[in-house]
Amino acid sequence: MDSIPSGEGLIARMIEGDESAFTSIYRQYHPALYTYLLRICKIPSLAEDLVHDVFLKVWEIRHRINPALPFTGYLYRIARNHAFKTLKKLAYDEVLQEKVLEHLQFQGNGPEQMVNEKEYNRLFQEALGRLTPQRLHVFRLCRQEGKSYDEAAAILGISRNAVKKHMVLSMRAIHNYIYRQGLVITLLYLAQKIF
């Protein structure tokens, strides 16, 4: 029985459409490629998905592979580019964002830790600018001027409960804005580390 050749012979067989050669290549490169992608994205399930995507891409474009050139460099270049595109996509994909947020929270290294004080202040001001005029007024009275809910209610001519509700919604909106924007900054930071 013929043994499966390694190196150029195995690559050449894959290029010709030999699925057993492709399977052998997958098994050979999977562990190291998974480790490489895990260092980039930090999420085991995402790294595994990226590995599968990369090998699927290799299979789809196998006819363009030159078996005389180092396959490892080719494979890692595809992996790096795919990981970078995925990280950029994360900024707009809420399901993927949740995976990243869960992972970063689990490690105690959330976006807040990766955003410096100057950037945090900028994001805070942007978040304030997104509040409704009434919420912004309540927030400034209670948080920035130190007024009690009762005092703010008297100044604004609304109930204490209305003030409390505005404060809760303001704090939630500010936190969510900073957290999401911090996540985007984190993703861009991770993407830059690829190169």
Side-chain angles (χ1 to χ4, degrees):
M1 190 167 95
D2 292 336
S3 61
I4 295 175
S6 60
E8 289 180 23
L10 195 59
I11 302 298
R13 283 178 52 188
M14 180 189 70
I15 291 169
E16 294 300 315
D18 186 330
E19 291 182 17
S20 66
F22 174 74
T23 300
S24 295
I25 290 168
Y26 179 90
R27 287 182 183 148
Q28 179 181 344
Y29 288 99
H30 179 281
L33 190 62
Y34 171 79
T35 301
Y36 173 73
L37 288 167
L38 183 60
R39 282 199 311 266
I40 292 171
C41 73
K42 316 293 188 208
I43 304 168
S45 60
L46 181 56
E48 192 62 49
D49 289 345
L50 291 172
V51 169
H52 292 304
D53 291 347
V54 168
F55 279 106
L56 181 61
K57 180 74 169 174
V58 166
W59 179 254
E60 289 172 353
I61 63 171
R62 64 189 180 278
H63 300 295
R64 291 191 274 170
I65 297 172
N66 182 346
L69 296 176
F71 180 71
T72 303
Y74 183 78
L75 182 66
Y76 279 73
R77 188 166 52 254
I78 291 174
R80 183 185 66 188
N81 291 340
H82 183 57
F84 180 70
K85 286 177 187 172
T86 301
L87 287 172
K88 286 180 73 174
K89 183 183 173 190
L90 273 169
Y92 305 101
D93 186 318
E94 290 186 11
V95 174
L96 290 176
Q97 282 180 10
E98 289 306 317
K99 284 185 181 181
V100 173
L101 286 171
E102 286 171 18
H103 178 76
L104 291 174
Q105 287 171 342
F106 178 74
Q107 289 195 330
N109 187 25
E112 290 98 336
Q113 283 77 40
M114 299 193 74
V115 177
N116 64 36
E117 187 178 344
K118 181 179 177 185
E119 191 65 23
Y120 179 86
N121 289 333
R122 183 184 70 78
L123 292 174
F124 180 76
Q125 292 304 317
E126 284 180 12
L128 286 181
R130 298 171 73 88
L131 296 177
T132 64
Q134 182 77 332
R135 284 200 188 131
L136 180 59
H137 200 174
V138 169
F139 182 84
R140 287 196 167 137
L141 285 171
C142 294
R143 260 310 155 97
Q144 296 176 325
E145 296 180 23
K147 305 282 189 205
S148 69
Y149 288 180
D150 289 326
E151 291 171 325
I155 291 168
L156 297 171
I158 58 177
S159 71
R160 183 184 191 282
N161 283 341
V163 170
K164 183 177 179 181
K165 182 178 177 184
H166 280 303
M167 278 301 294
V168 168
L169 294 174
S170 296
M171 294 300 293
R172 185 179 302 155
I174 292 166
H175 173 77
N176 288 345
Y177 182 81
I178 292 172
Y179 205 71
R180 292 288 174 191
Q181 294 304 311
L183 174 60
V184 171
I185 292 167
T186 301
L187 295 172
L188 292 174
Y189 169 78
L190 291 173
Q192 288 169 358
K193 291 191 76 160
I194 296 173
F195 295 101

PDB file of all heavy atoms in Angstrom, residues 2 12 18 28 39 112 116 126 150 167 172-174 179:
ATOM      1  N   ASP A   2       0.551   2.215  -0.844  1.00  0.00           N
ATOM      2  CA  ASP A   2       1.343   3.440  -0.922  1.00  0.00           C
ATOM      3  C   ASP A   2       1.117   4.278   0.320  1.00  0.00           C
ATOM      4  O   ASP A   2      -0.005   4.448   0.770  1.00  0.00           O
ATOM      5  CB  ASP A   2       0.955   4.267  -2.156  1.00  0.00           C
ATOM      6  CG  ASP A   2       1.365   3.575  -3.436  1.00  0.00           C
ATOM      7  OD1 ASP A   2       2.299   2.758  -3.370  1.00  0.00           O
ATOM      8  OD2 ASP A   2       0.730   3.833  -4.474  1.00  0.00           O
ATOM      9  N   ALA A  12       0.760  18.759  -3.902  1.00  0.00           N
ATOM     10  CA  ALA A  12       0.389  18.554  -5.307  1.00  0.00           C
ATOM     11  C   ALA A  12      -0.864  17.694  -5.416  1.00  0.00           C
ATOM     12  O   ALA A  12      -1.748  17.966  -6.235  1.00  0.00           O
ATOM     13  CB  ALA A  12       1.550  17.914  -6.067  1.00  0.00           C
ATOM     14  N   ASP A  18      -7.328  15.716  -4.391  1.00  0.00           N
ATOM     15  CA  ASP A  18      -7.273  14.521  -3.546  1.00  0.00           C
ATOM     16  C   ASP A  18      -7.695  14.888  -2.115  1.00  0.00           C
ATOM     17  O   ASP A  18      -6.962  15.565  -1.386  1.00  0.00           O
ATOM     18  CB  ASP A  18      -5.841  13.957  -3.569  1.00  0.00           C
ATOM     19  CG  ASP A  18      -5.724  12.638  -2.824  1.00  0.00           C
ATOM     20  OD1 ASP A  18      -6.482  12.425  -1.858  1.00  0.00           O
ATOM     21  OD2 ASP A  18      -4.854  11.832  -3.206  1.00  0.00           O
ATOM     22  N   GLN A  28      -2.088  17.700   9.909  1.00  0.00           N
ATOM     23  CA  GLN A  28      -0.702  18.094  10.159  1.00  0.00           C
ATOM     24  C   GLN A  28      -0.593  19.538  10.652  1.00  0.00           C
ATOM     25  O   GLN A  28       0.158  19.832  11.583  1.00  0.00           O
ATOM     26  CB  GLN A  28       0.109  17.920   8.866  1.00  0.00           C
ATOM     27  CG  GLN A  28       1.568  18.316   8.993  1.00  0.00           C
ATOM     28  CD  GLN A  28       2.303  18.148   7.664  1.00  0.00           C
ATOM     29  OE1 GLN A  28       1.828  17.485   6.747  1.00  0.00           O
ATOM     30  NE2 GLN A  28       3.465  18.763   7.560  1.00  0.00           N
ATOM     31  N   ARG A  39      -3.752  32.976  19.754  1.00  0.00           N
ATOM     32  CA  ARG A  39      -2.956  34.116  20.248  1.00  0.00           C
ATOM     33  C   ARG A  39      -3.494  35.426  19.688  1.00  0.00           C
ATOM     34  O   ARG A  39      -3.405  36.467  20.327  1.00  0.00           O
ATOM     35  CB  ARG A  39      -1.485  33.954  19.857  1.00  0.00           C
ATOM     36  CG  ARG A  39      -0.727  32.976  20.725  1.00  0.00           C
ATOM     37  CD  ARG A  39       0.776  33.166  20.636  1.00  0.00           C
ATOM     38  NE  ARG A  39       1.291  33.248  19.286  1.00  0.00           N
ATOM     39  CZ  ARG A  39       1.765  32.223  18.598  1.00  0.00           C
ATOM     40  NH1 ARG A  39       1.780  31.021  19.113  1.00  0.00           N
ATOM     41  NH2 ARG A  39       2.226  32.400  17.386  1.00  0.00           N
ATOM     42  N   GLU A 112     -12.546  48.550  29.280  1.00  0.00           N
ATOM     43  CA  GLU A 112     -12.209  49.683  30.144  1.00  0.00           C
ATOM     44  C   GLU A 112     -10.725  49.677  30.520  1.00  0.00           C
ATOM     45  O   GLU A 112     -10.093  50.714  30.627  1.00  0.00           O
ATOM     46  CB  GLU A 112     -13.034  49.667  31.437  1.00  0.00           C
ATOM     47  CG  GLU A 112     -14.498  49.979  31.240  1.00  0.00           C
ATOM     48  CD  GLU A 112     -15.328  48.706  31.163  1.00  0.00           C
ATOM     49  OE1 GLU A 112     -14.784  47.639  30.824  1.00  0.00           O
ATOM     50  OE2 GLU A 112     -16.532  48.790  31.443  1.00  0.00           O
ATOM     51  N   ASN A 116      -7.202  54.175  27.707  1.00  0.00           N
ATOM     52  CA  ASN A 116      -6.505  55.050  28.657  1.00  0.00           C
ATOM     53  C   ASN A 116      -7.436  56.173  29.129  1.00  0.00           C
ATOM     54  O   ASN A 116      -8.527  56.364  28.608  1.00  0.00           O
ATOM     55  CB  ASN A 116      -5.208  55.600  28.045  1.00  0.00           C
ATOM     56  CG  ASN A 116      -5.450  56.490  26.840  1.00  0.00           C
ATOM     57  OD1 ASN A 116      -6.426  57.231  26.783  1.00  0.00           O
ATOM     58  ND2 ASN A 116      -4.551  56.421  25.875  1.00  0.00           N
ATOM     59  N   GLU A 126     -18.607  62.018  24.620  1.00  0.00           N
ATOM     60  CA  GLU A 126     -19.440  61.597  23.490  1.00  0.00           C
ATOM     61  C   GLU A 126     -20.735  60.965  23.996  1.00  0.00           C
ATOM     62  O   GLU A 126     -21.810  61.202  23.437  1.00  0.00           O
ATOM     63  CB  GLU A 126     -18.689  60.584  22.610  1.00  0.00           C
ATOM     64  CG  GLU A 126     -17.635  61.198  21.732  1.00  0.00           C
ATOM     65  CD  GLU A 126     -16.922  60.154  20.876  1.00  0.00           C
ATOM     66  OE1 GLU A 126     -17.395  58.995  20.800  1.00  0.00           O
ATOM     67  OE2 GLU A 126     -15.890  60.500  20.283  1.00  0.00           O
ATOM     68  N   ASP A 150     -34.159  64.745  45.287  1.00  0.00           N
ATOM     69  CA  ASP A 150     -35.230  65.672  45.701  1.00  0.00           C
ATOM     70  C   ASP A 150     -34.928  67.092  45.209  1.00  0.00           C
ATOM     71  O   ASP A 150     -35.820  67.798  44.714  1.00  0.00           O
ATOM     72  CB  ASP A 150     -35.402  65.659  47.221  1.00  0.00           C
ATOM     73  CG  ASP A 150     -36.016  64.353  47.724  1.00  0.00           C
ATOM     74  OD1 ASP A 150     -36.851  63.781  46.994  1.00  0.00           O
ATOM     75  OD2 ASP A 150     -35.637  63.911  48.819  1.00  0.00           O
ATOM     76  N   MET A 167     -31.755  59.146  35.841  1.00  0.00           N
ATOM     77  CA  MET A 167     -30.379  58.828  36.251  1.00  0.00           C
ATOM     78  C   MET A 167     -30.013  57.390  35.911  1.00  0.00           C
ATOM     79  O   MET A 167     -28.921  57.122  35.391  1.00  0.00           O
ATOM     80  CB  MET A 167     -30.193  59.072  37.755  1.00  0.00           C
ATOM     81  CG  MET A 167     -29.926  60.522  38.100  1.00  0.00           C
ATOM     82  SD  MET A 167     -28.448  61.196  37.285  1.00  0.00           S
ATOM     83  CE  MET A 167     -27.154  60.225  38.051  1.00  0.00           C
ATOM     84  N   ARG A 172     -26.904  53.887  32.454  1.00  0.00           N
ATOM     85  CA  ARG A 172     -26.874  52.708  31.592  1.00  0.00           C
ATOM     86  C   ARG A 172     -26.411  53.081  30.191  1.00  0.00           C
ATOM     87  O   ARG A 172     -25.581  52.392  29.587  1.00  0.00           O
ATOM     88  CB  ARG A 172     -28.260  52.067  31.543  1.00  0.00           C
ATOM     89  CG  ARG A 172     -28.285  50.752  30.757  1.00  0.00           C
ATOM     90  CD  ARG A 172     -29.664  50.136  30.738  1.00  0.00           C
ATOM     91  NE  ARG A 172     -30.140  49.899  32.091  1.00  0.00           N
ATOM     92  CZ  ARG A 172     -31.417  49.835  32.435  1.00  0.00           C
ATOM     93  NH1 ARG A 172     -32.358  50.025  31.532  1.00  0.00           N
ATOM     94  NH2 ARG A 172     -31.771  49.606  33.671  1.00  0.00           N
ATOM     95  N   ALA A 173     -26.942  54.174  29.652  1.00  0.00           N
ATOM     96  CA  ALA A 173     -26.578  54.607  28.298  1.00  0.00           C
ATOM     97  C   ALA A 173     -25.093  54.971  28.226  1.00  0.00           C
ATOM     98  O   ALA A 173     -24.404  54.607  27.271  1.00  0.00           O
ATOM     99  CB  ALA A 173     -27.442  55.788  27.878  1.00  0.00           C
ATOM    100  N   ILE A 174     -24.596  55.679  29.227  1.00  0.00           N
ATOM    101  CA  ILE A 174     -23.181  56.072  29.251  1.00  0.00           C
ATOM    102  C   ILE A 174     -22.292  54.838  29.340  1.00  0.00           C
ATOM    103  O   ILE A 174     -21.331  54.690  28.583  1.00  0.00           O
ATOM    104  CB  ILE A 174     -22.902  57.043  30.425  1.00  0.00           C
ATOM    105  CG1 ILE A 174     -23.596  58.386  30.167  1.00  0.00           C
ATOM    106  CG2 ILE A 174     -21.401  57.238  30.635  1.00  0.00           C
ATOM    107  CD1 ILE A 174     -23.667  59.291  31.378  1.00  0.00           C
ATOM    108  N   TYR A 179     -18.574  51.141  26.921  1.00  0.00           N
ATOM    109  CA  TYR A 179     -18.187  49.737  26.837  1.00  0.00           C
ATOM    110  C   TYR A 179     -18.101  49.277  25.390  1.00  0.00           C
ATOM    111  O   TYR A 179     -17.129  48.633  24.996  1.00  0.00           O
ATOM    112  CB  TYR A 179     -19.197  48.884  27.615  1.00  0.00           C
ATOM    113  CG  TYR A 179     -18.612  47.582  28.089  1.00  0.00           C
ATOM    114  CD1 TYR A 179     -17.672  47.550  29.116  1.00  0.00           C
ATOM    115  CD2 TYR A 179     -18.999  46.381  27.515  1.00  0.00           C
ATOM    116  CE1 TYR A 179     -17.129  46.373  29.560  1.00  0.00           C
ATOM    117  CE2 TYR A 179     -18.461  45.186  27.967  1.00  0.00           C
ATOM    118  CZ  TYR A 179     -17.530  45.191  28.984  1.00  0.00           C
ATOM    119  OH  TYR A 179     -16.984  44.003  29.411  1.00  0.00           O
TER     120      TYR A 179
END
